[in-house]
Amino acid sequence: MAAAPFLTRGIELDALLVAVVDNIVERLAGERGTLYLVDGRTRTLTSVVAHLPELERIRLDFGQGIAGTVATEGKLLAVADPVNDPRFDPTFDRQTGFTTRSMLVVPIRDSAGAVIGVLQVLNAARGHFDASDERRAVELAASAGQVLEATSLYAELRARGPVEGHSQRPGPRYTFNQIVGESPTMQAVYAIVRKAAGTDASVLITGESGTGKELIARAVHVNSPRRAGPFIKVDCTTLPEPLIENELFGHDRGAFTGADRTTPGKFEVANGGTLFIDEIGELPSHLQGKLLRVLQDREFERVGGTTTIKTDIRVICATHRDLVGMVDAERFREDLYYRIRVVPIELPPLRSRGRDDLLRLVEHFVDKFGRRHDRAIQRVTPAAIDRLLAHDWPGNIRELENCIESAVVLGDNGIVDADDLPLGRRRVAGRDLTAGPGPSPGPDLGDPELTLAMVERMHIERVLAACGGNQSEAARRLGIGRNTLARKIDGE
């Protein structure tokens, strides 16, 4: 079993793990399989995939039953006669009416050798599991370990994480791969994603910049019947206005000077899959009607062309702008707004998702960047956690991600401390809310000593800092074009 096919970004993790277990059970010719994930902090196992329709979840302590024994000892066990083995726990057979006749149970390890899961296969088709089955099970468990280590739930499976203080409810908590957070507001988002994924309805994702709109769009795509088709993105803020039409619709040969060949646009390239139009609020007004036609009729013409082209796509749009206000101001077509907003998904800002989501994201990013930069971070200090919790994250998850990557690189001796966090001071109503080093407080609005140009300049600098220097993102937050921002930075 190769790990790569199971690592689709944004896939619902239950579906991914079921695919892993189904593959293993089939290759070992077993009747049923169970995948337990290890919570090393509470020394418990939780079944995340179990061919036991009678039970939603099975939880075991280390040492309980054959699976608990394997988690404790870290060694494969092949049991030919479970009923007469003192380590066997018959509780679940009694609850389900199932009869366990043979077992092959193997630990799943990460690249560091730590046990992060247990794979259990029951009832060999030929009556017992032999040595060749054991060798194959070890190989398959190694591949399963690669899969688990590449998912966003891996940070929860280690014996001791770098972040302390967030809730320790039993069992790992997850929904979609690479989307971290199980707060009530995110659960509401996931519920809509699941419903939308099973349809071809247009989806409009709204929310502040940096809240993860593209990740949600990918989750809709890869959990849909179109998952085998392409996922094509167009960002309306990264293209000069004259090129957006060409990018979306393509052009025929001879359409303009230099058009020496026919070039397909994104509507053609995305055929059979999903087209994600990011920052739809930036779409020029003269193209809004052309987009509406595609959404209604699924047909268009290339720039300079006369042939009508049919396309089979699903369209997902995203924006941080107030499209309702733009409709009222007649800067966005009302009929297009309702056409793209068949399924609305509003992403919450990070500051409203709660302490637990924030700390789980911190742990996820510490693990991600620790491995990327080969920096083994063992601990995030309480002072650092307090400072992270005190910040209001105007740049949302993107700002947090950049902050943690910087801290991982700057931290000494495997520790991230408050001084390693690139967070400046912030002021609300003249009150300093964030301790520690950083740029001086912002200007006092209404100070007669400050010119409008000075206030604008300082605001631009702070927005740029919050965006990690990303000018396109800063322009989006400021509500201006990227070229306008570049001129203001250069002092023009």
Side-chain angles (χ1 to χ4, degrees), residues 50-72:
H51 295 154
L52 292 172
E54 307 88 348
L55 297 175
E56 181 179 359
R57 285 284 187 267
I58 300 172
R59 288 194 173 88
L60 302 172
D61 293 326
F62 274 29
Q64 179 183 353
I66 303 295
T69 301
V70 168
T72 302

Side-chain angles (χ1 to χ4, degrees), residues 367-384:
D367 175 72
K368 172 183 175 179
F369 293 117
R371 286 189 281 170
R372 175 180 296 181
H373 299 298
D374 195 24
R375 302 277 289 177
I377 302 299
Q378 303 299 323
R379 184 167 174 259
V380 179
T381 67

Side-chain angles (χ1 to χ4, degrees), residues 158-341:
R158 293 169 298 171
R160 185 181 184 278
V163 177
E164 299 177 1
H166 56 302
S167 67
Q168 292 295 325
R169 288 180 289 181
R173 290 162 291 140
Y174 62 86
T175 302
F176 295 105
N177 192 23
Q178 304 306 321
I179 302 178
V180 177
E182 298 296 316
S183 61
T185 53
M186 290 306 295
Q187 291 289 352
V189 169
Y190 300 152
I192 299 174
V193 169
R194 290 191 187 97
K195 293 176 182 178
T199 74
D200 261 351
S202 299
V203 176
L204 175 62
I205 306 172
T206 57
E208 296 179 8
S209 294
T211 48
K213 293 187 284 292
E214 183 176 348
L215 282 178
I216 294 298
R218 288 183 181 275
V220 172
H221 170 72
V222 301
N223 293 283
S224 77
R226 293 181 175 270
R227 66 177 67 89
F231 178 88
I232 304 298
K233 175 185 175 181
V234 175
D235 187 340
C236 294
T237 64
T238 61
L239 295 167
E241 184 173 318
L243 296 184
I244 294 179
E245 182 176 15
N246 186 65
E247 183 77 5
L248 287 171
F249 301 100
H251 65 264
D252 274 356
R253 180 179 178 182
F256 49 82
T257 303
D260 55 356
R261 60 190 175 89
T262 296
T263 301
K266 299 305 188 199
F267 280 110
E268 285 180 78
V269 176
N271 189 52
T274 300
L275 179 63
F276 174 50
I277 305 178
D278 198 11
E279 293 304 341
I280 185 71
E282 309 299 327
L283 189 69
S285 57
H286 72 277
L287 293 180
Q288 293 175 18
K290 196 167 182 177
L291 173 59
L292 180 63
R293 180 193 170 198
V294 179
L295 293 175
Q296 291 178 156
D297 303 329
R298 293 299 192 265
E299 62 182 31
F300 64 95
E301 290 83 36
R302 299 190 191 104
V303 175
T306 57
T307 301
T308 298
I309 300 169
K310 294 284 187 180
T311 185
D312 172 26
I313 59 169
R314 191 230 192 105
V315 174
I316 300 176
C317 300
T319 184
H320 77 289
R321 289 193 174 277
D322 175 13
L323 289 188
V324 174
M326 293 180 68
V327 168
D328 291 341
E330 299 184 348
R331 289 188 290 116
F332 198 85
R333 290 184 61 139
E334 185 175 18
D335 47 3
L336 176 59
Y337 171 71
Y338 288 116
R339 180 64 66 172
I340 65 176
R341 189 190 173 272

